[in-house]
Every structure is written in structure tokens, then in C-alpha cells.
Amino acid sequence: MSQKVKFGSKIGLIAATVGSAVGLGNIWRFPAETQANGGAVFLLIYIACVFILGIPVMTAEFSLGRGGNSDATGAFRNVTPDKKGWWLVGALAILASYLILSFYMVVSGWTLEYMIQSITGNLYAPTAEANTATLTGEEALFSQKMASYVTGTYRPLVMTFIMIAANLLVLLKGVQKGIEKMSNIMMPLLFVLLLVFCAVSLTLPKAADGIEYFLKPDFSAMTPKTVVNALGQAFFSLSLAMGILVTYSSYYPADTKLTRTAVTVSLLDLGTAILMGLIIFPAVMTFGLADHNLAGSALVFITLPEIFAQMGGTLFWSTLFFLLLSVAAFTSTISLAEVSVAFMECHFRMSRKRAVVTVVTPLFLLSSICSLSVGPWSDFKIMGLTIFDFLDTMATNIMLPIGGILLCIYMGWVAPRSFFRNELTNNGTLTSHVFGLIAFIVKWVAPALIALVLVGQFI
């Protein structure tokens, strides 16, 4: 077996893995889910889910990736060459990640557009269709801006192509000089921006009300749906079952402490979500937007611009925020693309350059279709959904949970128990006091919890 390239430093390893996990799921999905599911009680259950589900499954993926020393399909073949067919679990993860990548590139293009419009000030320029004198007028303004920037024909395509090209440049430089170097710059920048926004938000007049809503649980608001949604948020925000963690951990040096790495990555991912809550809820309370729907794109492209419009230094804060969002989207698209690049390199014995071009080039067409399906092609439906929403639903709501269940079954029941233990203890050189608990969760608890997430999509 040829020697795979590895991350060059522990800091780079952590930065790249955190970058693969931290994304728009933390920055706009988490506040929306928190608001829709009872506030602080959702946060409390979410934290529990990260520890009960997230960390054990992440260690399982890390073990499979580093021990398998290949792409998301080859890892299964290398660990259990006598067990035929399990490589299809990796293939499912690769397909799901590529489908997600095809529409995620479009979303990353939107974030770039909003950053540019913030820099120029056009985002806050009045239009004939909207009067900005009142809050209602501001909401109308930003709804109209969103329609222009997101559902247009040509401008979203241009922004999407720019982000695809940026991905291409980083991926061509390889694991150390491309992904690791980019992550070493981008992830500290992301956390600095988060801390700056948090500091500003906590000084707002009604910050205490927002903090109370976010951090003081009201258990009367807890429902079965709250638990299922918290499980789903933990599963998706940690990038489980996407093939990303298996792929990235194949670049880990042999002495990497997998359990410690999983805890570190999960806590940083969790910290990002909590910081976003401390940014969003004091702001929405202060500016009278507590009754607004924070779901999905409306939070980022309508509600937050409304908030920035009422703050001093509007263009500065708006530009910084959409820079933050663009960084999160960029690190996520890089990691999603790397899953398929690694597959092409390992399975088809392609050079790095050829693999990257093979993976990225079709995105110019696939992402264009996704972008146009939100705009001029929005009347074309598949099972009542636009192409964009259909791919989102199929990949994130169905394929990922199924892949997660199968991965847990594999690591808990099919792969040798000694393999899992040896990876977590670095072949006996480390003492693992939690291996038994982790193995039990992966074998019994995690498949049931992920199945609950899967079933919950239909109830």
C-alpha cells in the first residue's frame, strides 16, 4: 500500500477537521432550531447529544479512517477484506457528500454575494419597491434584496463559479499546502470574528433577555420533537456519515490521539454554535425581532441585515458577518469535495491534479442547475420540491442517517473489536478508560438514536 500524505502538524490537523465540521449548520441552522424548539431546553439536550452521540460516532469514523488508510470506500475494504459489500456504505457517503456539495456551492455563492454587497453598501441602498423608514419597510427591503441576490439568473451563477474556482485552487495544492494551510488561516479568523460579534452583541441593551432565553431552560417547552431535532442537529453539525471524517482521519499521523481529537473537535464545534446563540438572541431581543421566523435563509439574509441596519457601523458589521459566513461555507465545501477527490485518487489511481479536476469540473453544471432551480426554474418540481430542495432532502434527511446507522453497525458488529480498541489506544501505547463505553454506544445506542432522527424526518 502506498504511503498516504499526512497532515503536517497537530494544529493543522485540528484546524482542518474543525473546519470540516463547522459550517452553515452551526451558524444559521442552530439558532433557528433553538428558537423553534424551546430555546435553552433545546441547547441543553443538544449538548447532551453531542456527548452521547457525536463524540462516540466521531471516534468510530476516525478509527475507520486512520486504520483503513484510504478513501471512504477503501477503508472498509482494508479493515475487513473478507467482508464483501460493506464498501457500499462508503460509496453512499461519497454520493451524499457530492450531492450536498452541488447545492452547498450555491449557498456559498450567496454568502459571497452578500459580503460584496455589504462592502459596496448596495445591500442597504433603498429601492423603489421598499420603504426603509419602518421595520416593516426594512423587512420588505431585505426580502426584495434576497430575491434579487439569491433567485436571480446570472448573478448567483457568477458567485457560485467564483467559489468553485476558489475550491479548485486550494484542492490542487494538496492536503498540506492546500487544505491544511487554508484551515490554519481560516479557522482562527472564523473564531476571532465570532468572539468580536459576541462581545458586541452582549453589550446591547436587551442582551440579558436574550441570554436568559438562550441559557435558562424552560422544561415545559420540551417535547419529543425537541429531542429528535437536537439529535439531528448534533448529527448534521458534526458532519457525521458524510465521509469527511473518514477521509480526513486517513491523513492523521499514527500517533494522533483519536479520542482526544474527537472531544476537541466536538467541543469547538459546539462552542461555535453557542457563540452564535449568544450573538443572535441578544440582538433579536434588542431590536424587537423576537417574533420573527429565524428559519433557514430568512435569518441570514433578512433578519440579520435588519439588525445591522439599526446598529452603528452598519456596513462594517455586515461585511464582517458575511465574511464569517463565507469562511464557514468555504471550509465546508473544501472538505466535502476532498471526500470525492480522495476516492478518485485511491480507487482510480489518479494523480492529485486529475482527481481534483474530475471532481470539481462537473460542479459548474450541477451547481448551475441547483442555482437556477431556486430562480427561473423554480416551477420544475420533483415530488413537489425544487431540484435544490430535493437534493437537500435526499442527501441530508435520508442518505446520511442511513449511512450513519450502517457505519455504526459496521464498527460495532462487523469490524474486529481489536481493531477499534487498537486505534483508540494507538496499538496499546495509550490507556483508554472509555473504550468500553464508546464501543457500547456505537454498537447499541448510536444506531437507535440515528434511526430516531431518520424516522423523525417523516413524522
Side-chain angles (χ1 to χ4, degrees), residues 48-68:
C49 291
V50 168
F51 284 91
I52 295 172
L53 173 68
I55 293 176
V57 176
M58 187 176 288
T59 59
E61 291 205 46
F62 284 169
S63 298
L64 177 61
R66 188 180 66 176

Side-chain angles (χ1 to χ4, degrees), residues 35 284 288-294:
Q35 184 208 40
V284 298
L289 303 176
D291 294 330
H292 273 44
N293 179 14
L294 301 185

